[in-house]
Amino acid sequence: MTEELVNLSRLQFAVTAMYHFLFVPLTLGMTWLLVIMESVYVMTGKVIYKDMTRFWGKLFGINFALGVTTGITLEFQFGTNWAYYSHYVGDIFGAPLAIEGLMAFFLESTFIGLFFFGWDRLSKQQHLLVTLLMAVGTNLSALWILIANGWMQNPVGAEFSYETMRMEMVDFAAVLFNPDAQAKFVHTVSAGYVTGAMFVLSISSWYLLKKRDVEFAKNSFRIAAAFGFASVCSVIVLGDESGYVVGEAQQTKLAAMEAMWETEPAPASFNLIAIPNEAEMKNDFAIHIPWLMGLIGTRSLDQQIPGIKDIVAHNRERIVSGISAVKALEQLRQDQSNTAAKAVFEKHKADLGFGLLLRKYTADVGTATPEMIDQAARSTIPKVAPMFWSFRVMVALGFAMLLLFGLALWYSIKGNFAEKSGFLRTAVWCLPMPWIACEVGWFVAEYGRQPWTIYGVLPTHLSVSTLSPASLYGSLAGFIAFYTVLLIVEMYLMIRFAKQGPGSLGTGRYLNEAIAH
Amino acid sequence: MDMLLDYPTLKVIWWLLVGVLLVGFAIMDGHDMGVGTLLPFVGQNDVERRVVINTVGPHWDGNQVWFITAGGAIFAAWPLVYATAFSGFYWAMLAVLWALFFRPVGFDYRSKIHHPTWRKVWDWGLFIGGFVPPLIFGVAFGNLLQGVPFHFDDNLVPYYTGSFWGLLNPFALLCGVVSSAMVTFHGGVYLMHRTEDEVYQRSRRWVNVTGLLTVVAFSLAGLWLAWGIDGFVISSVVNPAAQPDPLAKTVVKQAGAWLANYQQWPLAMALPVLAYIGFLAALWLANRGRTLAAFVASSVAMTGVIGTAGISMFPFVMPSSTDLRSSLTVWDSVSSHKTLGIMLVAVVIFMPIIIAYTRWAYGVMSGKVTAAYIRENEHSAY
């Protein structure tokens, strides 16, 4: 596998996944907001809540279409571009993906049709049930894909089989109840809810600033403020839970995120700001908060958090042990009855993945030089500066949104938000915040797992399909071209209908009824 | 479940289940892809085209999940097939994917803007999204039947050594015609069931043309397969209970080997026969206006066609033309006993539920889609 092929495959996955993730969080949040709005309609019979459901549903539909379009890419791509990965872990990773289809995609995709077209053919209660099932479907889909992703981060419940040359499932329950997956699921869907709430809050604020469709905008604002405040609290609390889980399962990610080069005596201090120096393995500058890191990472005062230098030294030992595992495996592939090789393999099996890291530097792992082993050990830590800063951007945005939704809720309770033009203007400008937070959050999780696709088990370097770099340049160019055009079209429609507002429903109750004609 | 069923049984069950998912895909996503293919031809003005689009508007998204789930199930049950086929057929898979891009946006965005050029562009987008995937799937099956140039190294890394253009050989293209014509036929029958007047009449003409084309192309492909294409046979001892390792066997190529299963199990002949009876019955029923029965018959016919391809190759799934022992079969390209068992439980639980609510959704939206419906729902219909 050439470096070029691996980098291009990674770039293509990153581009297509991050693009897909522009649409997913909004879908996750909007479906529940639609459920809330429609529930109010069914309970009170006030038709304005039906109009809200339909109008926000229309914008949701424009977004959903691209979510579907870009989602299929991701399922294809494991096979097209990550063939060895698909073989090596398909026995475990494929199951949640297939169950996602059976349990979640069918549900959301079948009921979204009735959501849009069933208004006149279903009773109020039936239609609400349809909307609810659609929301359950989208959220279940997040659950299953994050169970799959959680397993990539923390591969529990599986073992390598030398007979089939792959990882095999030994404990499905462990895969399902993987703490990494559970923490990720709640954190990610909450981030989606915040995104939905911000979308409705910002656009409603814009209507209020323009003093148009005021009742409609006020009702939408209030729902978004309450839902958004609850969700942003949940994102932050569950984000802390994620941090704790990462500390348990992925010390390399935590150390890089926090630019912790040395192991400090417990409880470790937290680097609020730092300028990491990759070459010398230290921070050129840092502002510390004593104790905080130890508390977040271990929830104790006496447990140490290992620093990067210690982790590298420890991983070097695992690589050396991994060399024995790789050599024994090669012997077993020639002759499965070789009991001596089998004994060696069983002893070093846990470090097999670390041995495979050396394949990046040499085809024959047995002849790896000490320099190669050093290089491989050093490569087990992702680059520190991008991790450190993107994590801080995400956290800062989280707290900024906490403040925004806190104020929005406060003004909603007081009932005077329609006059707070300064606040409304801020709310409009804050619209991109949750998207940026979601994207950098995704980056921290996935880039932070490098150099592995399956943490500690399968190096990224070995996971790719044996394609030519020319194919990759071609497909990457194709994806970028398609996605750019689609994004322009989507933004055009979104802005057009957001500007037109509820008048686009053609009910005769709102402004701008005629624009679309 | 893995306690109840032994490994060989589960391997065969999963071969059947992948078949069921592909048949489900052909019946469900097939009819809306057929509708997409016919859209520019049976709808001559904007209202007619909206009628055509709205026959599948509420359902295409759910139907597409058959495709996604079939892909996911192949990943979970046959990871080596998923890895080897998707990476080997790289550009063909991307062509399918990029064609599918036009569907969600085409359906949802087309009627949101009134401009005629805007709508025309999405109409052709929906055509591409309906026409290209079944064509390529047919071509892919045509290549599977001939063997595909790939091999594994000792670590089971797959290498594909053919080119994209090599996939477009005459037999494969003929299989592409079978698949494309059959799906378009199926979509045409569905359109007859859901429309009236001009659209109905034009759909009927397309049903007659594509129905006959399907029967002729299917017959030609069958004759070619029987006398012109060498099949594959496992020449070493088969142990269906063994841990899957494709490199542990030997394989030979043999003239007429793809007919061997029909000699061993004469009942398998029922599949091609079902295809013929289904197509002819569907044609007859459609021309008598019994459109729902015709839809059922064409579904049966497609089951026959897909089943014929599957049973001819059994136990092979993806034979290798360049390194025979690398060929993938139902015995040696599957997941572990445990995963197959878990996935079977998932299918047994969810498939009936899916079928039930899909049926309910079609029931809610049943009846003819008319020009009057489009005018009344100017702002909400696709």
Side-chain angles (χ1 to χ4, degrees), chain B residues 42-45 48 195-205:
Chain B
V42 299
Q44 299 289 354
N45 57 46
E48 284 178 6
T195 61
E196 51 187 23
D197 304 332
E198 284 86 357
V199 178
Y200 177 92
Q201 291 304 336
R202 287 188 209 112
S203 302
R204 193 167 73 102
R205 282 196 285 279

Side-chain angles (χ1 to χ4, degrees), chain A residues 40-79:
Chain A
V40 177
Y41 166 60
V42 171
M43 285 186 287
T44 66
K46 288 183 185 162
V47 83
I48 191 166
Y49 286 96
K50 182 184 180 186
D51 292 343
M52 281 161 62
T53 313
R54 292 189 59 194
F55 172 70
W56 295 111
K58 199 172 193 123
L59 299 188
F60 156 77
I62 295 170
N63 170 76
F64 189 83
L66 275 198
V68 173
T69 305
T70 55
I72 315 169
T73 304
L74 294 180
E75 190 183 311
F76 270 56
Q77 214 170 186
F78 292 111

